[in-house]
Amino acid sequence: MSTNNLQSCKRKMFLHGHGRQSTSIDDLGLDILVYEILIRLPAKGVGRSKCVCKEWLSLLSTRHFAMMHCRHISTSYNQKFIAIGSRLCSVFPLSCEDSGPLLNSRILLPFEAPWNKVNILTSFEGLLCVCFRNTGKLVIWNPLTRAFKEVFSSNSRGLYKPNLDAIGLYVDKTDDYKLLRIKRRRGRMWVHVYSSMFDSWHKTNFANKLRC
């Protein structure tokens, strides 16, 4: 982004005629503006900021900014927990400092499954890995955007068996969100990894067929 374009975008955030404020903002570098100011905005604030100019739209739409923003808002003061009920989920803020009554928001379950058969297995940066106990299917779900994706495949990868399998979410060095599944059967262990970027499973050699 050129210096002139960056300065033009910054000035659109302030009222005309406040020279002192414009000067102080113009003195900020791009790194400070993005990673000390914009990254602290709530999701709606980031959405509004994308309307400032094309350069900001491009910058705030990158996968890198999305990950950094998600990691920032996932700090302890903004953590939440979900209580799943009949077709509705109650989302509560998790704050040890606030002794007042808990205020919750409600969202609909986006997938077709009996609510009492839905288990949340793990979470990472706002993503949840959900298992349907009646079918064993795994789903990656983002409650914020309501988006979800089944990761079941025809060769039974993506099926989960309680007390036998272990599940984890992580992100690799290419910013690809991945689901790790450890499968244990008859005293042996296999490890499979699902890639959200390529929508596919692959087997790893780590601990392949190791006795457990």
Side-chain angles (χ1 to χ4, degrees), residues 183-196:
K183 173 183 174 181
R184 292 168 287 188
R185 302 290 187 274
R186 299 178 180 178
R188 298 283 185 175
M189 181 168 64
W190 293 263
V191 180
H192 297 90
V193 175
Y194 172 80
S195 166
S196 61

Side-chain angles (χ1 to χ4, degrees), residues 139-199:
V139 169
I140 296 178
W141 175 33
N142 186 338
L144 179 64
T145 63
R146 313 295 197 268
F148 72 97
K149 182 174 182 58
E150 290 190 5
V151 297
F152 169 72
S153 63
S154 58
N155 56 6
S156 297
R157 295 177 182 176
L159 287 182
Y160 175 81
K161 290 191 176 182
N163 304 322
L164 289 177
D165 295 350
I167 294 291
L169 280 167
Y170 70 99
V171 63
D172 67 9
K173 61 183 179 181
T174 65
D175 294 340
D176 183 10
Y177 284 93
K178 293 186 173 181
L179 181 67
L180 176 74
R181 178 204 178 196
I182 300 176
K183 173 183 174 181
R184 292 168 287 188
R185 302 290 187 274
R186 299 178 180 178
R188 298 283 185 175
M189 181 168 64
W190 293 263
V191 180
H192 297 90
V193 175
Y194 172 80
S195 166
S196 61
M197 183 179 295
F198 299 103
D199 189 23

Side-chain angles (χ1 to χ4, degrees), residues 68-79 124-126:
M68 295 297 294
H69 181 259
C70 185
R71 288 172 181 170
H72 181 80
I73 66 175
S74 295
T75 53
S76 59
Y77 65 83
N78 198 38
Q79 290 182 352
F124 180 72
E125 294 188 347

Side-chain angles (χ1 to χ4, degrees), residues 28-124:
L28 295 177
L30 181 60
D31 289 342
I32 294 178
L33 180 67
V34 174
Y35 298 110
E36 295 295 334
I37 299 177
L38 298 180
I39 203 171
R40 300 176 185 272
L41 295 176
K44 289 184 179 180
V46 173
R48 295 190 185 101
S49 298
K50 291 181 179 181
C51 300
V52 172
C53 61
K54 291 182 178 180
E55 287 79 8
W56 279 29
L57 173 62
S58 176
L59 179 65
L60 302 182
S61 298
T62 62
R63 187 178 180 88
H64 178 68
F65 178 83
M67 291 184 61
M68 295 297 294
H69 181 259
C70 185
R71 288 172 181 170
H72 181 80
I73 66 175
S74 295
T75 53
S76 59
Y77 65 83
N78 198 38
Q79 290 182 352
K80 296 176 174 61
F81 70 90
I82 294 180
I84 299 178
S86 178
R87 294 300 303 163
L88 281 175
C89 292
S90 297
V91 183
F92 297 89
L94 187 61
S95 175
C96 298
E97 298 178 356
D98 186 5
S99 58
L102 287 177
L103 301 177
N104 68 303
S105 58
R106 295 180 181 273
I107 58 176
L108 288 173
L109 287 174
F111 30 73
E112 293 294 333
W115 67 271
N116 56 349
K117 299 295 183 182
V118 176
N119 276 10
I120 297 175
L121 302 178
T122 186
S123 64
F124 180 72

Side-chain angles (χ1 to χ4, degrees), residues 7-24:
Q7 290 178 345
S8 175
C9 290
K10 292 175 186 174
R11 291 191 179 98
K12 291 181 182 179
M13 298 183 64
F14 296 88
L15 296 176
H16 293 291
H18 293 76
R20 180 175 299 177
Q21 289 182 336
S22 298
T23 301
S24 62

